[in-house]
Amino acid sequence: MIIQLKKETKPQEIKDFIKYLENKGYQIKDASSQDLTLLGVIGDTSKLDIGNILSFSIVEEAHRIATPFKQVSRSFHPLDTVVEVKGIKIGGNNPLFIIGGPCSVETCDLLKETAIFVKESGAKGLRGGAYKPRTSPYAFQGLGTIGVEYLNTVSNEVGIITVSEIMSSDKIPEFEKNIDIFQVGARNMQNYELLKALGKTKAPILLKRGFSNTIEEWLMSAEYIIASGNPNVILCERGIRTFETYTRNTLDISVIPLIKKLTHLPIIIDPSHATGKRDLVEAVSLASIAAGCDGLIIEVHPHPEVAYSDGAQTINYDSFKTLMKKATKIAKVIGRGV
Ligand code: PEP
Ligand code: MN
């Protein structure tokens, strides 16, 4: 961290300030020139609150040089993290991990039929929300426990990895019994108590980016899970809210190479929530694969128009089949399998 002190700061005040930082365990390098009083703070500054530094009346400016996230950063862990779920490896140079399924779990039969279909098309994961974070309290809220149990039944019968959203820590035991990958939804990305509780489990966590969060805030949320003891984090970009209204959210493709540069964690793209429109899902999926993502999570339903939630962004079986064929070709071009 670099700290610039105000011009009029007295030598004794500078000494006292340096002592304050040294007492916190930091080494201070004086980089002052004739015009500027500059201090370099050396050590693990992730624990140093920049707001606290700026609150000193003698401080003009303070800037971080190192990232505030530590364990998720590429410099801390240069090799790609590979998350293993039931023998399937996600991340690194492993085949893409593609997840298909309905927004919400509806009936057990429908879930099973969809699971068989997406698996036959080449997907290794089945999605389905049992606890749904709906904007309206009057909208379908999900089947709850019974939906979680359907996912487990279908997973065992079909042989597919399940992904479902967990909204509160009291459901951890239920999820540990029934679900393979726990999804933290956009709305809960900064629910730090939930993140800390998930950090105490061994479950793979699919951490979605909040719709108004910066990449740094998203990575700090991943840091919460890892710092609490669980290294099995998979990032999921699902677009952010911008001024654009043609799409539900805005997906910045550059997030993929950026995440690869900043961190060692796998990244999966959700083209369904990113666009909100089913006719945009295929193109965004293919572009994401070309940009180097580690997988996709796509909403699929045999009859999207009657889906309990998110029908407008849900693709049908034919579209999913076509998408998977094209995805396989693009993946091959960049040296990845599906
Ligand atoms: C979902 O995956 O169904 C969902 C609610 O996603 P998000 O949290 O990204 O809005
Ligand atoms: Mn949805």
Side-chain angles (χ1 to χ4, degrees):
M1 184 182 286
I2 298 284
I3 303 173
Q4 184 189 342
L5 301 183
K6 285 183 182 154
K7 243 194 165 112
E8 62 275 16
T9 309
K10 298 189 176 77
Q12 189 55 46
E13 289 175 315
I14 300 176
K15 264 192 191 159
D16 291 347
F17 186 59
I18 290 177
K19 193 99 222 119
Y20 166 81
L21 292 167
E22 282 175 345
N23 284 342
K24 283 184 171 289
Y26 298 106
Q27 222 187 310
I28 307 303
K29 218 162 178 82
D30 192 342
S32 304
S33 65
Q34 234 180 351
D35 308 318
L36 291 174
T37 309
L38 280 185
L39 302 177
V41 186
I42 300 159
D44 178 10
T45 53
S46 62
K47 292 192 183 78
L48 206 54
D49 179 7
I50 210 150
N52 172 250
I53 298 299
L54 289 167
S55 73
F56 280 80
S57 60
I58 58 168
V59 172
E60 182 77 54
E61 279 185 56
H63 299 281
R64 283 192 190 282
I65 306 295
T67 57
F69 44 87
K70 210 171 103 189
Q71 300 195 54
V72 306
S73 83
R74 182 65 87 178
S75 51
F76 183 82
H77 187 294
L79 297 179
D80 287 334
T81 281
V82 173
V83 176
E84 202 167 328
V85 194
K86 288 182 167 165
I88 300 288
K89 293 188 166 106
I90 306 167
N93 209 30
N94 289 294
L96 296 173
F97 184 65
I98 306 208
I99 305 155
C103 176
S104 301
V105 176
E106 299 179 6
T107 67
C108 197
D109 286 347
L110 197 63
L111 190 67
K112 185 171 174 184
E113 180 203 300
T114 312
I116 293 170
F117 177 77
V118 298
K119 187 179 174 183
E120 276 173 8
S121 308
K124 296 196 181 68
L126 172 70
R127 63 151 291 146
Y131 295 96
K132 296 301 304 175
R134 305 304 298 280
T135 305
S136 165
Y138 308 115
F140 177 60
Q141 302 287 304
L143 297 180
T145 302
I146 196 93
V148 171
E149 287 168 0
Y150 288 168
L151 281 157
N152 189 17
T153 305
V154 169
S155 167
N156 292 330
E157 289 179 7
V158 178
I160 194 162
I161 290 165
T162 54
V163 184
S164 198
E165 178 166 354
I166 184 159
M167 295 207 295
S168 59
S169 55
D170 61 318
K171 298 293 185 297
I172 289 176
E174 180 178 298
F175 270 61
E176 284 180 322
K177 248 190 269 157
N178 295 290
I179 303 295
D180 298 317
I181 301 178
F182 302 5
Q183 175 177 321
V184 174
R187 291 155 192 81
N188 267 314
M189 190 208 86
Q190 287 183 304
N191 181 341
Y192 299 119
E193 289 305 315
L194 176 62
L195 300 178
K196 282 192 269 184
L198 293 171
K200 295 199 178 77
T201 74
K202 291 187 171 62
I205 310 295
L206 185 73
L207 178 65
K208 287 195 152 194
R209 179 176 177 184
F211 40 63
S212 298
N213 288 111
T214 63
I215 289 173
E216 189 168 291
E217 286 164 343
W218 183 25
L219 296 181
M220 290 306 285
S221 291
E223 187 83 15
Y224 258 92
I225 301 170
I226 297 177
S228 302
N230 184 356
N232 302 312
V233 177
I234 303 162
L235 298 168
C236 178
E237 170 64 276
R238 41 79 76 214
I240 51 170
R241 190 168 278 181
T242 67
F243 51 81
E244 184 52 68
T245 53
Y246 273 113
T247 48
R248 184 175 178 183
N249 290 293
T250 297
L251 178 88
D252 173 7
I253 281 287
S254 72
V255 76
I256 300 165
L258 186 58
I259 284 293
K260 292 281 169 198
K261 188 168 146 185
L262 292 173
T263 87
H264 49 86
L265 299 173
I267 176 167
I268 281 183
I269 299 297
D270 175 346
S272 310
H273 291 86
T275 61
K277 294 190 170 167
R278 73 172 73 103
D279 55 336
L280 302 181
V281 167
E282 181 187 292
V284 171
S285 299
L286 301 180
S288 301
I289 295 172
C293 72
D294 296 296
L296 301 166
I297 179 164
I298 301 171
E299 289 184 336
V300 184
H301 191 287
H303 307 289
E305 47 309 329
V306 294
Y308 286 9
S309 53
D310 284 349
Q313 66 193 35
T314 300
I315 59 172
N316 65 20
Y317 287 175
D318 279 349
S319 305
F320 187 68
K321 208 172 196 137
T322 307
L323 188 159
M324 287 300 289
K325 280 192 190 136
K326 293 186 185 176
T328 308
K329 284 188 191 158
I330 304 270
K332 212 167 162 190
V333 170
I334 58 157
R336 297 275 293 260
V338 168

